[in-house]
Amino acid sequence: PATNLSICECEVSSAANLTVPANSYLSVQTKVINKGDGNNIVVASDGNLIQIEDEAVNSGNITAERYVTDMDNVLGTQLDYVYWSSPVTGQDLRAFSPGTRTNKIFYYNEPTDFFKAVNFATEPNFVPGKGYAFEAETTANGTHSPNATGYNETYKFKGTPNNGVISPDVQRSANTGSGGTVEHGYNLIGNPYPSNISFPEFYAMNSTKIYNTAWFWTNNLYTQNQQGSGYTPNNYAVWTGTGGAPATSTSPANGSGDTFKPDGIVAVGQGFIVQVRPEHIGAGTQQLIFKNKNTSNGNMVRVSTAGHFFNKNAEQKDRFWLKLISSDSIVNTQLIGYIEGATNDFEKDYDAEIMGMSSNIFYSTLEDRKLQIQGKAAF
Protein backbone atom coordinates (compact mmCIF):
# COMPACT_ATOMS: atom_id res chain seq x y z
CA PRO A 1 0.00 0.00 0.00
CA ALA A 2 1.15 3.55 -0.76
CA THR A 3 -0.51 4.73 2.47
CA ASN A 4 -1.43 3.15 5.78
CA LEU A 5 -4.10 0.48 5.46
CA SER A 6 -6.23 -1.55 7.90
CA ILE A 7 -7.96 -4.70 6.66
CA CYS A 8 -9.68 -7.79 8.07
CA GLU A 9 -7.57 -10.50 6.40
CA CYS A 10 -4.66 -10.47 3.98
CA GLU A 11 -4.40 -13.09 1.22
CA VAL A 12 -1.92 -12.61 -1.63
CA SER A 13 -1.81 -14.85 -4.71
CA SER A 14 1.40 -16.10 -6.29
CA ALA A 15 0.89 -13.65 -9.15
CA ALA A 16 0.47 -10.59 -6.94
CA ASN A 17 2.94 -8.39 -5.06
CA LEU A 18 2.54 -6.45 -1.83
CA THR A 19 5.06 -4.03 -0.31
CA VAL A 20 4.73 -2.21 3.00
CA PRO A 21 6.98 0.84 2.47
CA ALA A 22 9.16 2.55 5.05
CA ASN A 23 7.23 4.74 7.50
CA SER A 24 3.95 3.01 6.60
CA TYR A 25 1.93 0.20 8.11
CA LEU A 26 -0.44 -2.55 7.09
CA SER A 27 -2.74 -3.56 9.96
CA VAL A 28 -4.45 -6.95 9.63
CA GLN A 29 -7.21 -7.96 12.03
CA THR A 30 -6.75 -11.71 11.53
CA LYS A 31 -4.29 -13.77 9.47
CA VAL A 32 -1.85 -13.33 6.61
CA ILE A 33 -1.90 -15.91 3.80
CA ASN A 34 0.70 -15.81 1.05
CA LYS A 35 0.51 -18.22 -1.87
CA GLY A 36 3.70 -16.86 -3.42
CA ASP A 37 7.36 -17.64 -2.76
CA GLY A 38 7.86 -15.04 -0.02
CA ASN A 39 9.52 -12.51 -2.31
CA ASN A 40 6.13 -11.10 -3.31
CA ILE A 41 5.27 -9.76 0.18
CA VAL A 42 7.93 -7.37 1.43
CA VAL A 43 7.98 -5.33 4.63
CA ALA A 44 10.58 -2.68 3.85
CA SER A 45 13.00 -1.41 6.48
CA ASP A 46 11.02 0.87 8.84
CA GLY A 47 7.74 -0.52 7.53
CA ASN A 48 5.30 -2.29 9.87
CA LEU A 49 3.06 -5.32 9.40
CA ILE A 50 0.76 -5.30 12.44
CA GLN A 51 -1.73 -7.99 13.40
CA ILE A 52 -4.49 -7.63 15.99
CA GLU A 53 -5.67 -11.13 16.91
CA ASP A 54 -3.16 -13.26 18.80
CA GLU A 55 -4.92 -16.46 17.73
CA ALA A 56 -4.55 -15.81 13.97
CA VAL A 57 -2.30 -18.42 12.29
CA ASN A 58 -0.32 -17.18 9.30
CA SER A 59 0.68 -19.30 6.32
CA GLY A 60 3.25 -18.77 3.60
CA ASN A 61 6.43 -16.70 3.73
CA ILE A 62 7.18 -12.99 3.59
CA THR A 63 10.39 -10.96 3.42
CA ALA A 64 11.12 -8.42 6.16
CA GLU A 65 14.03 -6.04 5.54
CA ARG A 66 16.33 -4.11 7.85
CA TYR A 67 18.87 -1.59 6.55
CA VAL A 68 22.09 -1.08 8.53
CA THR A 69 24.88 1.39 7.86
CA ASP A 70 28.57 2.00 8.50
CA MET A 71 29.52 -1.58 9.39
CA ASP A 72 33.22 -2.32 9.90
CA ASN A 73 35.13 -5.61 10.04
CA VAL A 74 38.81 -4.80 10.51
CA LEU A 75 40.51 -7.29 12.82
CA GLY A 76 42.06 -5.60 15.84
CA THR A 77 40.74 -2.18 14.85
CA GLN A 78 36.96 -2.38 14.47
CA LEU A 79 34.82 -5.53 14.60
CA ASP A 80 31.21 -4.40 14.66
CA TYR A 81 28.39 -6.56 16.01
CA VAL A 82 24.64 -6.24 15.61
CA TYR A 83 22.05 -7.69 18.00
CA TRP A 84 19.46 -9.34 15.76
CA SER A 85 16.07 -10.97 16.36
CA SER A 86 13.97 -12.49 13.61
CA PRO A 87 10.43 -11.26 12.82
CA VAL A 88 9.68 -14.51 10.95
CA THR A 89 9.82 -18.25 11.61
CA GLY A 90 12.10 -20.40 9.47
CA GLN A 91 14.99 -18.00 8.82
CA ASP A 92 18.30 -19.89 8.75
CA LEU A 93 20.90 -18.25 11.01
CA ARG A 94 23.88 -18.76 8.69
CA ALA A 95 22.00 -17.84 5.51
CA PHE A 96 20.80 -14.57 7.03
CA SER A 97 24.29 -13.04 7.13
CA PRO A 98 26.36 -15.33 4.88
CA GLY A 99 29.49 -13.25 5.19
CA THR A 100 29.63 -13.62 8.97
CA ARG A 101 32.06 -16.27 10.18
CA THR A 102 30.03 -19.22 11.50
CA ASN A 103 31.81 -19.17 14.87
CA LYS A 104 30.92 -15.49 15.27
CA ILE A 105 27.16 -15.89 15.60
CA PHE A 106 26.48 -15.82 19.34
CA TYR A 107 23.79 -16.13 21.94
CA TYR A 108 24.19 -14.77 25.49
CA ASN A 109 24.95 -17.39 28.13
CA GLU A 110 23.33 -15.97 31.26
CA PRO A 111 25.07 -18.13 33.92
CA THR A 112 28.55 -17.09 32.75
CA ASP A 113 27.73 -13.58 31.45
CA PHE A 114 29.63 -14.48 28.28
CA PHE A 115 28.59 -14.83 24.67
CA LYS A 116 28.74 -18.36 23.26
CA ALA A 117 28.75 -19.55 19.65
CA VAL A 118 25.47 -21.06 18.44
CA ASN A 119 25.36 -24.83 17.90
CA PHE A 120 23.77 -25.03 14.45
CA ALA A 121 23.21 -28.78 14.76
CA THR A 122 20.55 -28.14 17.41
CA GLU A 123 19.65 -24.54 16.53
CA PRO A 124 19.83 -23.96 12.76
CA ASN A 125 17.20 -21.20 12.66
CA PHE A 126 16.40 -18.07 14.62
CA VAL A 127 14.28 -18.85 17.68
CA PRO A 128 11.35 -16.38 17.93
CA GLY A 129 11.93 -13.80 20.66
CA LYS A 130 15.58 -14.76 21.14
CA GLY A 131 18.38 -12.32 20.42
CA TYR A 132 21.67 -13.09 18.66
CA ALA A 133 24.92 -11.17 18.23
CA PHE A 134 26.31 -11.28 14.66
CA GLU A 135 29.79 -10.16 13.70
CA ALA A 136 30.02 -7.91 10.63
CA GLU A 137 30.40 -9.74 7.32
CA THR A 138 33.67 -10.67 5.61
CA THR A 139 34.09 -12.29 2.16
CA ALA A 140 31.94 -15.40 2.38
CA ASN A 141 29.15 -13.85 0.31
CA GLY A 142 31.50 -12.17 -2.17
CA THR A 143 30.26 -8.70 -1.23
CA HIS A 144 32.52 -7.32 1.47
CA SER A 145 36.32 -7.45 1.75
CA PRO A 146 38.07 -9.02 4.79
CA ASN A 147 38.80 -5.52 6.06
CA ALA A 148 35.46 -3.98 5.17
CA THR A 149 34.88 -0.48 6.53
CA GLY A 150 31.73 1.56 6.41
CA TYR A 151 29.62 -0.83 4.36
CA ASN A 152 25.84 -0.55 4.19
CA GLU A 153 23.52 -3.53 3.76
CA THR A 154 19.84 -4.39 3.54
CA TYR A 155 19.41 -7.63 5.47
CA LYS A 156 16.42 -9.81 4.66
CA PHE A 157 14.47 -12.15 6.92
CA LYS A 158 12.40 -14.69 4.99
CA GLY A 159 9.81 -16.95 6.57
CA THR A 160 6.30 -17.09 8.01
CA PRO A 161 5.55 -13.82 9.86
CA ASN A 162 5.47 -14.28 13.63
CA ASN A 163 2.21 -13.44 15.34
CA GLY A 164 0.52 -13.67 18.71
CA VAL A 165 1.92 -15.20 21.87
CA ILE A 166 5.68 -15.78 21.79
CA SER A 167 7.50 -16.85 24.95
CA PRO A 168 11.32 -16.64 24.92
CA ASP A 169 13.24 -18.37 27.71
CA VAL A 170 15.10 -16.29 30.30
CA GLN A 171 16.72 -17.10 33.63
CA ARG A 172 18.67 -15.68 36.54
CA SER A 173 21.58 -17.50 38.14
CA ALA A 174 22.96 -16.87 41.61
CA ASN A 175 25.22 -13.86 41.96
CA THR A 176 28.94 -14.50 41.92
CA GLY A 177 32.09 -12.69 43.04
CA SER A 178 33.18 -11.72 46.51
CA GLY A 179 30.06 -11.39 48.64
CA GLY A 180 27.82 -11.95 45.62
CA THR A 181 28.59 -8.52 44.19
CA VAL A 182 28.49 -9.62 40.53
CA GLU A 183 24.86 -9.63 39.47
CA HIS A 184 23.44 -12.06 36.93
CA GLY A 185 20.13 -12.34 35.13
CA TYR A 186 21.06 -10.59 31.88
CA ASN A 187 19.33 -12.15 28.86
CA LEU A 188 19.53 -11.26 25.17
CA ILE A 189 16.02 -11.32 23.72
CA GLY A 190 14.47 -9.47 20.76
CA ASN A 191 11.45 -8.08 18.98
CA PRO A 192 9.77 -11.16 17.44
CA TYR A 193 7.39 -9.35 15.05
CA PRO A 194 7.53 -7.68 11.62
CA SER A 195 6.38 -4.48 13.36
CA ASN A 196 7.82 -2.20 16.01
CA ILE A 197 6.86 -2.88 19.61
CA SER A 198 6.35 -0.71 22.68
CA PHE A 199 8.78 -1.76 25.39
CA PRO A 200 6.67 -0.16 28.17
CA GLU A 201 3.67 -2.28 27.12
CA PHE A 202 5.85 -5.39 26.85
CA TYR A 203 7.28 -4.67 30.28
CA ALA A 204 3.81 -4.17 31.78
CA MET A 205 3.00 -7.79 30.94
CA ASN A 206 6.32 -9.05 32.34
CA SER A 207 6.91 -6.72 35.29
CA THR A 208 7.03 -9.56 37.84
CA LYS A 209 9.90 -11.21 35.94
CA ILE A 210 12.13 -8.44 34.59
CA TYR A 211 13.15 -4.89 35.38
CA ASN A 212 11.81 -1.93 33.42
CA THR A 213 15.19 -1.57 31.68
CA ALA A 214 16.42 -2.41 28.18
CA TRP A 215 19.99 -2.19 26.89
CA PHE A 216 20.70 -1.62 23.19
CA TRP A 217 24.17 -2.35 21.84
CA THR A 218 25.97 0.17 19.64
CA ASN A 219 29.36 0.03 17.93
CA ASN A 220 30.42 3.55 18.86
CA LEU A 221 33.80 2.95 20.50
CA TYR A 222 35.62 -0.28 19.70
CA THR A 223 37.34 -2.34 22.39
CA GLN A 224 38.57 -5.81 21.43
CA ASN A 225 37.28 -8.89 23.26
CA GLN A 226 34.59 -7.30 25.42
CA GLN A 227 32.90 -9.94 27.56
CA GLY A 228 31.31 -10.28 30.98
CA SER A 229 31.87 -7.12 33.01
CA GLY A 230 34.60 -5.85 30.67
CA TYR A 231 32.53 -3.33 28.71
CA THR A 232 34.83 -0.31 28.47
CA PRO A 233 33.71 2.18 27.34
CA ASN A 234 29.93 2.12 27.76
CA ASN A 235 28.61 1.03 24.33
CA TYR A 236 25.05 0.40 25.50
CA ALA A 237 22.24 2.88 25.07
CA VAL A 238 19.73 2.26 27.84
CA TRP A 239 16.02 2.76 28.49
CA THR A 240 14.27 2.70 31.88
CA GLY A 241 10.94 3.90 33.21
CA THR A 242 12.65 7.28 33.60
CA GLY A 243 13.57 7.56 29.92
CA GLY A 244 16.54 6.89 27.66
CA ALA A 245 20.24 7.74 27.59
CA PRO A 246 22.59 7.24 24.62
CA ALA A 247 25.79 5.22 24.59
CA THR A 248 29.21 6.81 24.89
CA SER A 249 30.33 8.29 21.56
CA THR A 250 32.89 10.57 20.00
CA SER A 251 32.08 14.23 19.48
CA PRO A 252 30.75 15.28 16.06
CA ALA A 253 33.96 17.16 15.31
CA ASN A 254 36.13 14.07 15.79
CA GLY A 255 33.99 11.13 14.76
CA SER A 256 30.51 9.68 14.73
CA GLY A 257 28.37 7.15 16.50
CA ASP A 258 24.84 6.18 17.39
CA THR A 259 23.78 9.01 19.72
CA PHE A 260 20.05 8.22 19.65
CA LYS A 261 18.34 8.17 23.03
CA PRO A 262 16.10 5.08 23.35
CA ASP A 263 12.48 6.12 23.37
CA GLY A 264 10.65 2.94 24.35
CA ILE A 265 10.17 1.71 20.78
CA VAL A 266 11.96 -1.48 19.70
CA ALA A 267 12.42 -1.71 15.95
CA VAL A 268 11.84 -4.70 13.68
CA GLY A 269 14.73 -7.16 13.79
CA GLN A 270 16.34 -5.65 16.89
CA GLY A 271 17.76 -7.66 19.78
CA PHE A 272 18.22 -6.14 23.25
CA ILE A 273 19.15 -7.13 26.79
CA VAL A 274 16.86 -7.32 29.82
CA GLN A 275 17.56 -8.42 33.38
CA VAL A 276 15.48 -10.95 35.34
CA ARG A 277 14.51 -9.90 38.87
CA PRO A 278 16.41 -11.47 41.81
CA GLU A 279 13.36 -13.26 43.23
CA HIS A 280 13.77 -15.73 40.35
CA ILE A 281 17.35 -16.69 41.24
CA GLY A 282 17.79 -20.43 40.88
CA ALA A 283 14.20 -20.92 39.66
CA GLY A 284 15.37 -22.27 36.32
CA THR A 285 14.03 -21.25 32.95
CA GLN A 286 11.26 -18.64 32.93
CA GLN A 287 9.14 -17.56 29.96
CA LEU A 288 8.52 -13.95 29.05
CA ILE A 289 5.40 -13.07 27.08
CA PHE A 290 5.14 -11.17 23.84
CA LYS A 291 1.59 -10.55 22.61
CA ASN A 292 -0.01 -8.32 20.00
CA LYS A 293 -1.97 -6.49 22.68
CA ASN A 294 -1.50 -5.91 26.41
CA THR A 295 -4.55 -7.74 27.74
CA SER A 296 -4.45 -5.92 31.09
CA ASN A 297 -5.15 -2.49 29.60
CA GLY A 298 -6.03 -3.10 25.95
CA ASN A 299 -3.05 -1.13 24.60
CA MET A 300 -1.23 -2.47 21.57
CA VAL A 301 2.26 -3.90 22.06
CA ARG A 302 2.79 -3.95 18.29
CA VAL A 303 2.87 -0.36 17.04
CA SER A 304 3.74 1.66 13.95
CA THR A 305 5.28 4.46 16.02
CA ALA A 306 8.70 5.38 14.67
CA GLY A 307 11.50 7.31 16.31
CA HIS A 308 9.79 8.21 19.58
CA PHE A 309 7.73 6.69 22.34
CA PHE A 310 4.06 7.43 21.84
CA ASN A 311 1.78 7.03 24.86
CA LYS A 312 -1.35 9.10 24.76
CA ASN A 313 -1.73 9.03 28.54
CA ALA A 314 1.94 9.53 29.44
CA GLU A 315 2.57 11.41 32.65
CA GLN A 316 4.67 14.56 32.70
CA LYS A 317 8.36 13.71 33.19
CA ASP A 318 10.90 16.31 34.29
CA ARG A 319 14.15 15.08 32.75
CA PHE A 320 17.63 16.46 32.28
CA TRP A 321 20.30 15.05 29.97
CA LEU A 322 23.82 16.04 30.97
CA LYS A 323 26.66 15.66 28.48
CA LEU A 324 30.41 15.66 29.15
CA ILE A 325 32.93 15.99 26.30
CA SER A 326 36.46 15.10 27.41
CA SER A 327 39.70 16.62 26.13
CA ASP A 328 40.09 13.71 23.67
CA SER A 329 36.55 14.24 22.31
CA ILE A 330 34.83 11.32 24.05
CA VAL A 331 31.17 12.10 24.75
CA ASN A 332 29.30 10.62 27.73
CA THR A 333 25.67 11.42 28.56
CA GLN A 334 23.68 10.80 31.72
CA LEU A 335 19.98 11.26 32.47
CA ILE A 336 18.42 12.46 35.71
CA GLY A 337 14.62 12.40 35.86
CA TYR A 338 11.91 13.16 38.40
CA ILE A 339 9.21 10.57 37.79
CA GLU A 340 5.82 9.68 39.25
CA GLY A 341 6.23 6.28 40.96
CA ALA A 342 9.99 6.57 41.49
CA THR A 343 11.65 7.19 44.84
CA ASN A 344 15.02 8.62 45.77
CA ASP A 345 16.31 5.12 46.54
CA PHE A 346 17.94 2.78 44.01
CA GLU A 347 15.31 1.02 41.88
CA LYS A 348 16.15 -0.94 38.75
CA ASP A 349 12.84 0.04 37.18
CA TYR A 350 14.04 3.68 37.13
CA ASP A 351 17.82 3.62 37.66
CA ALA A 352 20.61 2.11 35.55
CA GLU A 353 24.19 1.63 36.64
CA ILE A 354 26.98 2.16 34.12
CA MET A 355 28.10 -1.05 32.40
CA GLY A 356 31.83 -0.26 32.45
CA MET A 357 34.37 2.15 33.88
CA SER A 358 36.90 4.28 32.04
CA SER A 359 38.79 7.48 32.79
CA ASN A 360 36.24 9.50 30.81
CA ILE A 361 33.02 7.98 32.10
CA PHE A 362 30.38 10.45 33.37
CA TYR A 363 27.81 9.41 35.97
CA SER A 364 25.75 10.45 38.95
CA THR A 365 26.04 8.72 42.30
CA LEU A 366 23.57 7.16 44.69
CA GLU A 367 25.22 5.77 47.82
CA ASP A 368 28.04 3.62 46.35
CA ARG A 369 26.43 3.17 42.91
CA LYS A 370 27.50 4.91 39.71
CA LEU A 371 24.43 5.62 37.57
CA GLN A 372 23.95 6.43 33.88
CA ILE A 373 20.25 6.99 34.52
CA GLN A 374 18.93 8.16 37.91
CA GLY A 375 15.18 8.33 38.49
CA LYS A 376 14.07 10.37 41.49
CA ALA A 377 10.73 11.14 43.10
CA ALA A 378 8.57 13.61 41.16
CA PHE A 379 8.69 17.29 42.05
Side-chain angles (χ1 to χ4, degrees):
T3 58
N4 300 328
L5 184 64
S6 297
I7 59 177
C8 180
E9 182 177 301
C10 179
E11 181 172 334
V12 180
S13 71
S14 59
N17 293 286
L18 172 65
T19 298
V20 182
N23 305 313
S24 298
Y25 69 81
L26 172 63
S27 178
V28 182
Q29 181 71 32
T30 57
K31 58 188 175 181
V32 175
I33 303 170
N34 187 19
K35 297 183 177 180
D37 60 3
N39 296 317
N40 61 325
I41 296 182
V42 176
V43 181
S45 188
D46 294 323
N48 289 278
L49 171 59
I50 298 173
Q51 291 180 260
I52 308 301
E53 293 186 2
D54 287 310
E55 299 78 14
V57 178
N58 298 326
S59 61
N61 293 338
I62 69 165
T63 298
E65 299 178 341
R66 171 55 58 193
Y67 182 64
V68 298
T69 61
D70 198 24
M71 293 292 292
D72 297 329
N73 193 338
V74 183
L75 187 63
T77 302
Q78 182 74 34
L79 270 171
D80 289 344
Y81 278 82
V82 176
Y83 286 1
W84 289 108
S85 179
S86 179
V88 302
T89 296
Q91 173 61 59
D92 184 280
L93 281 159
R94 286 169 289 186
F96 171 72
S97 181
T100 296
R101 292 179 289 178
T102 55
N103 64 337
K104 299 299 181 182
I105 299 174
F106 297 105
Y107 70 96
Y108 201 70
N109 189 26
E110 185 276 335
T112 64
D113 271 340
F114 278 75
F115 286 94
K116 188 173 181 179
V118 172
N119 181 354
F120 301 113
T122 58
E123 192 172 335
N125 297 335
F126 281 87
V127 175
K130 184 174 181 178
Y132 300 84
F134 278 69
E135 183 187 74
E137 293 193 76
T138 56
T139 58
N141 66 349
T143 302
H144 310 299
S145 68
N147 292 321
T149 58
Y151 74 81
N152 303 330
E153 186 80 28
T154 297
Y155 287 93
K156 298 181 179 182
F157 298 92
K158 188 174 181 180
T160 305
N162 292 328
N163 181 55
V165 180
I166 293 173
S167 301
D169 293 337
V170 295
Q171 64 181 30
R172 175 153 180 166
S173 303
N175 293 349
T176 57
S178 177
T181 55
V182 179
E183 287 196 354
H184 287 260
Y186 296 101
N187 291 261
L188 179 55
I189 63 172
N191 179 359
Y193 303 120
S195 68
N196 297 343
I197 63 170
S198 163
F199 182 82
E201 295 300 335
F202 164 72
Y203 164 73
M205 295 187 298
N206 295 278
S207 60
T208 62
K209 295 182 178 179
I210 61 172
Y211 288 112
N212 191 12
T213 306
W215 289 269
F216 300 91
W217 175 253
T218 71
N219 297 295
N220 287 358
L221 295 174
Y222 174 71
T223 300
Q224 193 171 10
N225 299 325
Q226 294 190 92
Q227 287 273 27
S229 60
Y231 288 96
T232 307
N234 180 43
N235 273 314
Y236 281 99
V238 61
W239 163 267
T240 72
T242 302
T248 298
S249 65
T250 55
S251 67
N254 293 275
S256 61
D258 189 342
T259 59
F260 181 75
K261 293 187 279 290
D263 56 9
I265 300 299
V266 183
V268 175
Q270 187 168 82
F272 57 97
I273 285 179
V274 296
Q275 187 182 20
V276 174
R277 290 180 178 274
E279 50 264 39
H280 301 290
I281 289 176
T285 301
Q286 309 280 309
Q287 280 75 45
L288 299 181
I289 298 175
F290 286 97
K291 297 184 73 174
N292 296 345
K293 181 185 293 186
N294 182 348
T295 50
S296 66
N297 59 21
N299 293 337
M300 289 296 295
V301 176
R302 299 176 65 172
V303 296
S304 60
T305 308
H308 66 278
F309 170 52
F310 174 78
N311 185 345
K312 186 175 181 180
N313 297 313
E315 72 276 14
Q316 178 66 37
K317 296 181 179 182
D318 297 296
R319 296 180 290 187
F320 305 88
W321 283 269
L322 308 177
K323 181 182 294 185
L324 174 68
I325 303 177
S326 68
S327 58
D328 53 354
S329 300
I330 302 299
V331 181
N332 280 280
T333 303
Q334 62 171 292
L335 166 62
I336 298 176
Y338 297 82
I339 312 298
E340 290 289 344
T343 71
N344 292 329
D345 298 324
F346 180 76
E347 305 156 291
K348 285 205 170 184
D349 288 331
Y350 298 98
D351 305 306
E353 294 181 87
I354 59 174
M355 278 289 200
M357 276 295 297
S358 69
S359 60
N360 298 313
I361 202 71
F362 185 42
Y363 54 85
S364 66
T365 60
L366 179 60
E367 299 174 345
D368 60 346
R369 300 179 187 272
K370 301 176 177 65
L371 304 181
Q372 185 176 0
I373 296 178
Q374 183 170 173
K376 301 175 72 67
F379 286 139

